[in-house]
Amino acid sequence: MTAFTRRRFLAATGAVALAGCATQPLGVAEQTSVPAPDWKPGAEWLYRRTDGYTKLDAGSPVARRVVEAGATGIRITETTASNTFIDNAVWANPSAMLSGTLSEFGPITGRFEPPLQYYDFPLVSGKRWSQRLNRIDSGGFSYFMTLEASVEGWDTLEVAGRKVRAVAIRRYFMLGQLPPGLGMSMGDSFRWDTEWYAPDIGSFVVLNRQERYQPNRNRLMADAPGNWFLLQLQSFRRA
């Protein structure tokens, strides 16, 4: 990402607030309505991915690609520079995810019943939505999960040599109990997102994703740091 001012960088990548704690509003609220993107095969976004703890590179560039779109859905993959899959998601439409990966820790992946309302287009400042659903993993195990999301304000960021307007989105996931392969005593996992979505680009320009988990499900108030990744757009290509 080029020429990111310090003020805007801190606003976009500041510490993720814990559930129940007050959060500083992001951007400037306005009534601009954002329609759903028209994702077509061939579209690609390249991101620099860093570890939030160490600030070291974490597989950059990460390529987010629309690889197919048809009657069965829209498939979007995310791969590292070494072609390791981070995600291989299928969307019913740009709002609803049918299957995908919600954490590399575990990993937490599967199909969603009903589809996960990852976005809720059209987006507008002040919009909120919530969801209760189940994730079904490859072994047929079902995990209850929840989502709370909100759309906040707007800012202008300089990305890939151009200025773009982006709207802030926050998400809080309770991802449910960690997979049995990590140990039967493991408890629930949680994820907090702060995303800046740019309508002109059809994807996010900054995504700050932080996770925590319960090492012991019998100690409900005890949790531990999980993955923390920051993605920043470097370039993109339209279909």
Side-chain angles (χ1 to χ4, degrees), residues 30-230:
E30 57 180 72
Q31 291 306 303
T32 302
S33 181
V34 179
D38 183 15
W39 286 336
K40 296 179 179 178
E44 178 184 77
W45 304 269
L46 297 180
Y47 295 90
R48 179 172 181 262
R49 188 171 83 149
T50 54
D51 184 288
Y53 300 107
T54 65
K55 312 306 179 187
L56 298 177
D57 185 80
S60 303
V62 166
R64 185 172 192 244
R65 299 183 177 98
V66 181
V67 295
E68 60 180 281
T72 59
I74 306 164
R75 185 175 298 277
I76 298 181
T77 63
E78 294 180 11
T79 56
T80 66
S82 60
N83 287 322
T84 299
F85 275 91
I86 297 173
D87 197 4
N88 187 10
V90 178
W91 301 69
N93 55 61
S95 287
M97 186 188 293
L98 298 173
S99 63
T101 300
L102 298 180
S103 174
E104 295 169 61
F105 182 52
I108 297 176
T109 187
R111 57 185 174 85
F112 308 112
E113 295 183 352
L116 173 62
Q117 198 75 16
Y118 195 85
Y119 295 100
D120 189 10
F121 291 103
L123 304 176
V124 64
S125 292
K127 190 172 193 176
R128 296 177 178 272
W129 67 96
S130 62
Q131 192 178 18
R132 308 292 182 266
L133 66 156
N134 291 292
R135 176 180 62 87
I136 315 299
D137 71 11
S138 59
F141 290 95
S142 179
Y143 303 86
F144 176 72
M145 57 176 286
T146 67
L147 165 67
E148 302 287 338
S150 62
V151 182
E152 298 200 8
W154 290 77
D155 204 347
T156 299
L157 311 177
E158 189 165 333
V159 180
R162 57 177 287 185
K163 291 183 177 181
V164 298
R165 279 170 42 80
V167 64
I169 303 169
R170 293 190 198 265
R171 300 186 193 86
Y172 166 65
F173 293 93
M174 191 287 288
L175 295 173
Q177 188 175 343
L178 286 159
L182 293 175
M184 294 303 294
S185 66
M186 300 286 271
D188 290 332
S189 181
F190 307 87
R191 182 179 125 189
W192 292 264
D193 290 357
T194 303
E195 171 180 332
W196 289 89
Y197 176 86
D200 289 347
I201 290 175
S203 186
F204 58 87
V205 293
V206 174
L207 175 60
N208 187 3
R209 176 181 294 169
Q210 188 169 352
E211 301 171 14
R212 297 189 71 84
Y213 70 97
Q214 296 171 320
N216 189 325
R217 62 180 172 179
N218 296 317
R219 298 179 61 192
L220 298 181
M221 300 305 294
D223 62 4
N227 291 330
W228 180 8
F229 292 116
L230 174 67

